[in-house]
Amino acid sequence: EADEWFQIGNTYDDEGRYDDAAEAFRKSIEALRKTNCAPAATAAAWLNMGFALNSSGRKQEAEAAWETALLASDCDDFVRSNLVLLSQSVADLDPAAVAALADVLHELGAFDPELPRKLGCQTLVTGSELHRLRKTGLSRPTDLTAAQDLFARLFFIGVGVERDEVDAVWSPSVVHHLRRCKLLADVLNSRFCIGTLQFFSFSGLLIMTDWPSETLGSIDPVMSIGTDSMELCLSL
């Protein structure tokens, strides 16, 4: 029964019947609660319910569903690749904050022209490559500093990083400035994740964009330059 409602929810979602899809996923969850199901099945149902609610314009309900999905999952890869769903925000473009951010990014080695190569990517890191790395993880090369590794995982790939690891690698000042610009979000009370923008490294420059639509479930990555990312990119 749970799988049947799950498939019905997917069908409704494909048809654009988002409220009906959310209800179907809710019924799937109810059915799963009556059985000794694997946490992964429950997490998947909550995750898809969040997608349906988000598409229906019910943002707060969607975020609550996604948080429940992440808390219900027993799979670190699932949590790592979906934490970004909880970290959407509007960047703070206060001139003083942006000026401090530029210095912070230099300190972290974010403008290193060799950074894409060190990540094992081509000269221009594409959305598809970053999405793949978010699902598979990043094997840190020896010539990538700990600060760059953390920056890449958070701001290029979009995975969640344990708060203790952030505190061990970055100074309180760095964390303060990144949070001040709302580029770093505290999620699930245990991890940091990037906020509303994604970074691309290209020949020593940082290109900023809104998150690719595949972050919210699309098969094909679609990048868009929003107002926040454009203004921040020009400022830096």
Side-chain angles (χ1 to χ4, degrees), residues 86-104:
L86 300 179
S87 62
Q88 303 302 301
S89 61
V90 178
D92 183 355
L93 300 178
D94 174 73
V98 172
L101 175 64
D103 291 336
V104 165

Side-chain angles (χ1 to χ4, degrees), residues 39-59:
T42 301
W46 277 109
L47 185 73
N48 281 17
M49 178 190 281
F51 291 140
L53 290 168
N54 187 68
S55 297
S56 185
R58 297 153 66 180
K59 178 67 174 176

Side-chain angles (χ1 to χ4, degrees), residues 2-185:
D3 185 64
E4 181 179 350
W5 279 116
F6 187 84
Q7 297 306 325
I8 290 173
N10 286 333
T11 299
Y12 283 157
D13 192 77
D14 289 341
E15 295 174 351
R17 297 169 58 182
Y18 302 120
D19 289 329
D20 291 336
E23 178 63 16
F25 290 127
R26 183 188 64 79
K27 291 181 178 179
S28 177
I29 292 167
E30 289 180 351
L32 287 168
R33 285 173 175 164
K34 299 176 183 177
T35 65
N36 188 20
C37 65
T42 301
W46 277 109
L47 185 73
N48 281 17
M49 178 190 281
F51 291 140
L53 290 168
N54 187 68
S55 297
S56 185
R58 297 153 66 180
K59 178 67 174 176
Q60 289 185 331
E61 293 177 74
E63 291 180 348
W66 287 328
E67 182 170 354
T68 303
L70 297 179
L71 292 173
S73 175
D74 62 351
C75 176
D76 288 341
D77 290 345
F78 177 89
V79 175
R80 182 188 65 223
S81 62
N82 287 291
L83 270 174
V84 69
L85 296 171
L86 300 179
S87 62
Q88 303 302 301
S89 61
V90 178
D92 183 355
L93 300 178
D94 174 73
V98 172
L101 175 64
D103 291 336
V104 165
L105 294 176
H106 276 289
E107 179 182 337
L108 297 180
F111 294 102
D112 181 357
E114 293 295 307
L115 195 52
R117 180 191 61 77
K118 292 178 181 180
L119 293 174
C121 301
Q122 302 300 317
T123 302
L124 177 63
V125 183
T126 67
S128 295
E129 285 177 305
L130 294 176
H131 190 60
R132 174 183 56 80
L133 289 172
R134 180 153 48 87
K135 290 182 177 295
T136 62
L138 173 66
S139 297
R140 178 177 152 195
T142 56
D143 56 352
L144 195 65
T145 68
Q148 286 178 321
D149 169 67
L150 197 55
F151 175 82
R153 282 189 283 146
L154 279 164
F155 291 93
F156 287 170
I157 303 170
V159 301
V161 176
E162 294 289 344
R163 187 186 302 165
D164 290 345
E165 183 180 357
V166 173
D167 292 339
V169 176
W170 289 348
S171 69
S173 176
V174 166
V175 175
H176 167 75
H177 287 301
L178 291 173
R179 297 191 70 179
R180 179 184 178 188
C181 290
K182 298 182 180 178
L183 295 183
L184 199 61

